[in-house]
Amino acid sequence: DEYAIVGGMNFGDVYSHKDPNNVKWRDTDVIYSGPAVADSRRLFARLWNAKVRELGLKFAPVAETAPAGASEGGAAKISVILQNPPTDSNILVGIVKAMYGATGRINIENAYFVSLPVVTKAVLDAVARGVEVNILTNSKESIDPEGKTIVDAMYKCLMPLAEAGANIYLYQGAATLHSKFMTVDGVFANIGSYNLHPRGERYDTEVNVAIVDPASTAELDAAFANDLATSRKVTSASELGEKPGWLSSFVSEYFYAQLKK
């Protein structure tokens, strides 16, 4: 009850990077203390207890309220956000609102960037008003084997953003990029498990935290810059226009064209 961790990291061998023959995953998480930890405990307890009741499991319920004595927090303002589709779009709404509040720079690092129409419009509007928009996602070379079928859908949605003037970077590191965060103007950050693609809106329950704090945002901007050092900048939209295979075309047409309006 003193600390909480939110991010994209799963419990799995691919995160240990110890097996030279196994795929490797690169992720970003955030650890925090203070009142937001109580919010995180409450969120966990409600999800856990509901599932225990639903399945009739023989586990004691988790108390929503933490015992006294949890540590105080620092200067950052933190909001813990649950998105539980199709009930709500809390994380997406927060991301889009922050993008419309940007005046200088938006950095987006997201493993599977298949842009929703509202995100595409927010990026185009930001570029049009002079905001520097930097988007980093996986390349065909770095993405995990299960994700290769969606790369063409990712590239397709990135093309109009590149043409409009957004800076697009494709990860070239030895590990699959799996982190999901955004920073705005060096003062705001949003980080967690939420992927910017239609599946995140239709099926996947996720948790992110929104942070207002220049120091914390600077750390994420530094992580972003470090990942850019092992990435390739797209210099023309034609670099994203390779002919997709039949499976990628099928997935793009029937799985990612669901939210056009």
Side-chain angles (χ1 to χ4, degrees):
D1 294 307
E2 293 187 27
Y3 301 98
I5 299 175
V6 166
M9 185 174 290
N10 299 302
F11 289 98
D13 292 342
V14 293
Y15 286 93
S16 73
H17 295 187
K18 293 181 179 180
D19 184 350
N21 299 315
N22 201 357
V23 295
K24 298 173 176 60
W25 293 60
R26 149 81 183 89
D27 228 314
T28 308
D29 284 28
V30 59
I31 182 170
Y32 51 95
S33 59
V37 177
D39 293 338
S40 304
R41 178 196 174 101
R42 190 176 303 110
L43 184 155
F44 175 84
R46 289 175 180 174
L47 290 173
W48 175 273
N49 294 340
K51 188 58 65 174
V52 167
R53 288 193 300 269
E54 176 189 337
L55 301 179
L57 302 177
K58 295 181 180 179
F59 292 118
V62 175
E64 292 188 17
T65 304
S71 66
E72 295 184 1
K77 296 179 179 178
I78 301 174
S79 176
V80 184
I81 308 167
L82 170 71
Q83 178 160 315
N84 190 24
T87 306
D88 58 67
S89 297
N90 294 332
I91 295 173
L92 177 64
V93 169
I95 288 172
V96 172
K97 282 187 174 181
M99 293 173 71
Y100 275 102
T103 59
R105 185 181 69 248
I106 300 171
N107 290 333
I108 299 173
E109 180 167 313
N110 206 274
Y112 310 110
F113 189 95
V114 182
S115 189
L116 299 158
V118 66
V119 174
T120 295
K121 187 175 188 306
V123 170
L124 296 178
D125 288 349
V127 172
R129 63 179 188 270
V131 176
E132 175 189 335
V133 180
N134 305 302
I135 300 173
L136 171 61
T137 191
N138 275 299
S139 65
K140 290 186 176 182
E141 295 75 30
S142 68
I143 202 165
D144 55 289
E146 292 81 4
K148 288 191 180 296
T149 56
I150 71 167
V151 174
D152 291 309
M154 292 164 54
Y155 282 15
K156 183 178 179 180
C157 76
L158 289 169
M159 289 176 66
L161 307 184
E163 291 170 346
N167 300 312
I168 308 299
Y169 298 87
L170 302 177
Y171 193 64
Q172 304 290 305
T176 290
L177 185 70
H178 195 246
S179 59
K180 311 107 181 336
F181 68 83
M182 178 184 77
T183 68
V184 176
D185 293 344
V187 296
F188 174 86
N190 189 297
I191 178 172
S193 60
Y194 177 77
N195 293 301
L196 275 168
H197 64 34
R199 182 184 172 95
E201 284 305 296
R202 288 294 180 93
Y203 306 114
D204 297 339
T205 298
E206 307 286 9
V207 177
N208 278 31
V209 293
I211 304 168
V212 178
D213 179 50
S216 303
T217 303
E219 291 190 48
L220 285 172
D221 279 333
F224 186 81
N226 188 60
D227 287 335
L228 289 190
T230 54
S231 301
R232 172 174 62 86
K233 185 177 182 180
V234 174
T235 57
S236 69
S238 61
E239 296 178 48
L240 300 169
E242 298 179 21
K243 183 176 177 58
W246 71 267
L247 182 56
S248 293
S249 298
F250 179 84
V251 170
S252 178
E253 179 66 23
Y254 294 103
F255 286 82
Y256 291 101
Q258 351 174 6
L259 300 175
K260 289 183 177 179
K261 297 181 180 180

